[in-house]
Structure formats: C-alpha cells, structure tokens
Amino acid sequence: MRSHSNSKQLSLAAIGLGSNLGDREATLLAAWHELSRQQGIQALQLSSPYLSEPFEMDSTQAFVNAVGLVETVLNPLPLLHTLQTLEVRHGRRRDPGKKGYQDRSLDLDLLFWNDLCLESEELTLPHPRLHERLFVLAPLADLLPHWQHPLLFKSASTLLTQVNTQGTQRAQRNTWNRSPDLSAS
C-alpha cells in the first residue's frame, strides 16, 4: 500500500473487470494486482466473481466478471488510460473492422469516479450502460449496495432488482479459486 500526497484529493472509483477468453479468472486477478501497483491508485476491494453468458454479442464464450473499488489521485481520463494500457498488456485486441462487442481477454471499464457526471468523446461517467447490465450491477451491489447513481438517483441494489425483473440476463455468483487479497501477491 502506498501513501499519497496530501495535496491531491483521493477519489473513489469503481472498475468493471471482465474476460471471456483464456484463463479468465487468472487474468482478472492478475489485472487487479497490477492495478494495485499503479502510481496514484490504491486498490480497496474486489467483489466475488460472477459467471455470465455473453450479453448483446455473438459468442459462445462465457464471461467472468467482477467489480473492484479503488481510491485514486488520478483524474478520470488518466485512470481510463491506465485501464486501457492494462487491457493491451493482457492481450486485448480491438478489431475496428468488426461491428459490435467482441470476445476479449480483458475488459476494464471505469464505472464511476466519485459522483462525477461527464460526457465526452472518450469517456462517459457514470458508465452509460451500468444500470442495464446484471453482470455489473450484481458485483457492484455486493460491494456498495447503497451507492447512488448520480443521474438516476437510485441505489445499486434498487437498480439490480430492476434489471433482474427483466429476466433477459443471467449472472451466477461464484468464488475465486485463487486469492484476490492483495497481500497474497
């Protein structure tokens, strides 16, 4: 654990982690540990993993998803760039010739950064589809059931019950086969 300069304000951010290629669980845990070692980021807590079928994409590869909470002195765009660098390091490839979502070795999404509402070409906060995705809401509600969506004014647990009632998505809570604890790395 690193100490941070008192001159910069710490912000709470949530990161969505997902993988549907290779050793999915090992990739997520490796990315989580690498994220904790990045300058200006302190990893706080990682949810249980969730198994889910691909959502709104053509694939036969199931996903492992989780949500991690971090404190950071980084502003949202530098944090996003850090996440994208980690994705590439873990083999993430984006084929610009393909439309829609693609299989991925690692997907890291910035879900929220404090209660900031932001819309730019590069980043929208909170994540624009967070409230529609069971595989994000289930692990987020595990960690922060009372977190309030700054645009919808609903808690994570309320949003989870609303997306659950639609019945089109499935996410099954699982346990880590390896330790997500940062002290074990």
Side-chain angles (χ1 to χ4, degrees):
M1 214 179 297
R2 281 181 296 290
S3 64
H4 299 285
S5 168
N6 290 336
S7 65
K8 287 200 169 188
Q9 181 75 23
L10 284 175
S11 297
L12 179 67
I15 312 299
L17 299 91
S19 175
N20 77 328
L21 295 176
D23 189 341
R24 302 161 302 171
E25 182 180 301
T27 300
L28 295 188
L29 290 175
W32 177 245
H33 287 117
E34 286 178 51
L35 185 62
S36 74
R37 293 189 298 270
Q38 299 298 308
Q39 187 68 29
I41 298 173
Q42 180 178 344
L44 300 176
Q45 191 174 9
L46 183 64
S47 74
S48 294
Y50 279 76
L51 302 176
S52 63
E53 294 302 313
F55 181 61
E56 296 183 340
M57 66 183 280
D58 276 340
S59 179
T60 59
Q61 306 295 316
F63 276 85
V64 174
N65 295 98
V67 168
L69 299 177
V70 301
E71 281 185 331
T72 183
V73 295
L74 299 179
N75 287 325
L77 279 176
L79 179 56
L80 176 67
H81 296 153
T82 298
L83 298 177
Q84 291 170 337
T85 299
L86 286 174
E87 287 178 338
V88 170
R89 193 176 300 152
H90 284 273
R92 173 77 186 261
R93 303 286 178 259
R94 289 180 169 87
D95 182 349
K98 284 188 175 180
K99 293 188 189 279
Y101 296 111
Q102 302 168 29
D103 290 322
R104 72 258 349 236
S105 55
L106 180 62
D107 187 27
L108 298 173
D109 290 330
L110 181 53
L111 302 176
F112 68 77
W113 188 91
N114 286 341
D115 59 357
L116 178 68
C117 296
L118 170 73
E119 191 167 337
S120 73
E121 282 187 31
E122 195 170 358
L123 178 63
T124 300
L125 290 173
H127 190 285
R129 306 218 30 229
L130 176 153
H131 63 285
E132 300 171 353
R133 295 177 169 173
L134 181 63
F135 61 89
V136 172
L137 286 171
L140 178 60
D142 282 353
L143 297 177
L144 292 175
H146 303 292
W147 172 77
Q148 193 83 10
H149 192 292
L151 296 172
L152 301 176
F153 308 106
K154 295 179 180 177
S155 70
S157 58
T158 298
L159 291 169
L160 176 61
T161 62
Q162 291 174 344
V163 79
N164 260 340
T165 61
Q166 295 171 5
T168 58
Q169 302 176 61
R170 302 282 180 260
Q172 178 184 356
R173 188 175 189 182
N174 206 350
T175 56
W176 293 109
N177 291 325
R178 301 159 184 90
S179 173
D181 183 4
L182 296 173
S183 63
S185 62

